[in-house]
Amino acid sequence: MLRIEKLYKKYNKRENALDGLDMEVAKGELYGFVGPNGAGKTTTLRIITGLLKPDAGQVWLDGQKVGQDMKVRKRMIGFVPDFFGLYENLTVMEYLEFFAASYGIYQKAGTVRSHEVLELVNLQGTEECFVDELSRGMQQRLCLARALLNRPCLLVLDEPNSGLDPRTRKEFQFLLQNLQKEGYTILISSHILSELSDMCTSIGIINQGKMVLQGKIDHIMLSIDSSNPLRITVLNKVEQAVRLIRSNPQVERISVDENKIAVWFSGSREEEARLLSQLVEAQIQVVAFAREQNSLESLFFHLTDNAKGGGGV
Ligand SMILES: Nc1ncnc2c1ncn2[C@@H]1O[C@H](COP(=O)(O)OP(=O)(O)OP(=O)(O)O)[C@@H](O)[C@H]1O
Ligand SMILES: [Mg+2]
């Protein structure tokens, strides 16, 4: 759906805000774009939406190379920016009908579509309310409704959660997950990883203008998990257990602390299960047997630790 290759952007004469950024968002994904403050998220999203021109690099949308042609972008992308100006003295309905008209959806069709998008974001009943009197969470949803007006194939949201309380945040996440189920491809940025990792299907980590890790959450979690040790606790026959574990060809390393055994094991989940049954069959009492839980969070901190001159994978 969206592909970016070698994007560069420099503001004034400062360092590169984007330094050869690559990104790929497949159709139907809920893609989380995460990185610390100043990493280049807003710059990237503004280039995707055509609000900013890159110094070099290329953007493809749905297989088409896009130049600075705003028409293509306007038809295909719905954008919720990080700061949205609202319009005083407009009701919710006037606000949406105004934007519908800017997309060429006029009169009756504009009214019908405005009602539809209000329903999509759970704002039915607010039609006559003034926009500037809505709560922050409702304004955020209205902004999302506006971005949905012309049925874009890609929704782009820049830090939509900032300034929202935890419950409103959760509701907003739920809304995005529903839109994804309806077939929208969504690209959302945040500087807080945990906000995205719960709900996204894919994730891209940006640091100092470069993509340092991207892929499907499941794959990333699996690769982190498999580099973690198996933690095994036995109640008896520790030495026999250690011997048995050591004899397994998938075991790379082992460390023993009394009755707790840490095993760096490169086998599959099935081979893991087989190792457990071998221990049990040898009459060893196993009370714990589990992969140490990741964390994606610690990987994120490692990849974005600029004090260490990090940034590479
Ligand atoms: N208009 C501008 N003029 C000069 N420098 C800018 C401008 N906008 C952004 N920058 C710089 O470019 C870099 C990337 O900024 P950007 O806003 O894209 O980061 P971000 O990842 O969105 O950060 P945040 O999480 O704080 O929103 C930063 O170093 C920032 O200071
Ligand atoms: Mg930003």
Side-chain angles (χ1 to χ4, degrees):
M1 169 58 60
L2 170 73
R3 190 153 70 86
I4 288 179
E5 224 174 71
K6 302 257 170 300
L7 220 49
Y8 287 87
K9 178 74 193 174
K10 198 180 263 209
Y11 292 100
N12 311 321
K13 291 210 170 61
R14 307 201 4 216
E15 280 177 31
N16 281 329
L18 294 184
D19 192 13
L21 181 106
D22 296 316
M23 177 190 253
E24 180 130 22
V25 182
K27 212 180 189 107
E29 295 275 0
L30 178 42
Y31 183 104
F33 188 34
V34 61
N37 292 131
K41 302 178 295 293
T42 299
T43 304
T44 307
L45 301 185
R46 288 174 72 83
I47 290 173
I48 293 170
T49 52
L51 295 169
L52 197 66
K53 203 169 167 315
D55 298 336
Q58 185 61 53
V59 177
W60 281 267
L61 263 174
D62 210 14
Q64 292 176 51
K65 236 181 188 189
V66 284
Q68 282 316 103
D69 183 0
M70 281 306 285
K71 267 201 219 123
V72 177
R73 289 188 158 95
K74 199 170 171 191
R75 185 164 46 79
M76 297 179 77
I77 300 177
F79 185 40
V80 179
D82 50 354
F83 295 103
F84 44 92
L86 283 166
Y87 295 69
E88 282 176 34
N89 301 322
L90 275 187
T91 66
V92 166
M93 210 51 192
E94 286 166 345
Y95 176 84
L96 287 175
E97 284 171 344
F98 170 78
F99 280 100
S102 85
Y103 286 117
I105 314 170
Y106 297 108
Q107 297 175 349
K108 183 108 205 301
T111 311
V112 169
R113 185 61 190 153
S114 298
H115 281 296
E116 282 172 4
V117 292
L118 278 181
E119 210 162 303
L120 278 174
V121 303
N122 291 328
L123 277 182
Q124 310 93 305
T126 61
E127 288 82 351
E128 300 311 318
C129 298
F130 282 97
V131 169
D132 55 351
E133 286 172 3
L134 297 178
S135 72
R136 176 105 170 88
M138 286 165 121
Q139 288 181 350
Q140 192 63 282
R141 277 187 276 156
L142 178 60
C143 204
L144 177 60
R146 183 188 82 187
L148 289 166
L149 277 169
N150 68 332
R151 301 183 171 82
C153 49
L154 176 68
L155 259 181
V156 178
L157 302 100
D158 194 5
E159 305 244 10
N161 283 330
S162 58
L164 302 185
D165 68 63
R167 175 186 293 272
T168 313
R169 249 177 233 200
K170 269 271 168 260
E171 284 166 3
F172 197 73
Q173 284 185 5
F174 193 61
L175 204 65
L176 293 180
Q177 284 173 311
N178 276 339
L179 288 171
Q180 186 219 357
K181 285 189 196 120
E182 298 215 356
Y184 283 98
T185 306
I186 304 171
L187 166 57
I188 171 175
S189 82
S190 173
H191 59 276
I192 303 168
L193 175 75
S194 55
E195 273 185 0
L196 299 179
S197 56
D198 293 350
M199 66 160 171
C200 290
T201 53
S202 279
I203 209 138
I205 299 179
I206 179 177
N207 187 42
Q208 296 185 333
K210 286 193 180 76
M211 193 66 89
V212 288
L213 179 74
Q214 94 173 314
K216 293 217 177 261
I217 285 263
D218 296 351
H219 293 175
I220 295 176
M221 295 308 283
L222 207 66
S223 68
I224 299 174
D225 275 357
S226 58
S227 61
N228 284 334
L230 282 172
R231 299 271 177 201
I232 304 173
T233 310
V234 298
L235 289 187
N236 63 345
K237 303 186 182 175
V238 180
E239 275 175 30
Q240 192 186 339
V242 169
R243 245 179 290 129
L244 198 153
I245 294 167
R246 247 192 243 287
S247 69
N248 189 306
Q250 314 276 9
V251 170
E252 294 165 353
R253 191 154 62 87
I254 194 168
S255 94
V256 185
D257 178 12
E258 294 188 9
N259 65 337
K260 294 188 174 61
I261 311 168
V263 182
W264 280 264
F265 183 75
S266 61
S268 63
R269 300 287 285 169
E270 286 72 23
E271 286 159 338
E272 234 174 85
R274 211 167 306 134
L275 179 63
L276 174 61
S277 6
Q278 284 168 353
L279 291 167
V280 174
E281 277 161 20
Q283 315 281 315
I284 297 163
Q285 294 173 313
V286 181
V287 286
F289 187 102
R291 279 274 180 201
E292 183 175 294
Q293 282 304 297
N294 77 79
S295 85
L296 188 53
E297 195 80 30
S298 57
L299 178 67
F300 176 69
F301 283 125
H302 171 70
L303 290 173
T304 57
D305 183 358
N306 299 318
K308 277 197 329 207
V313 183

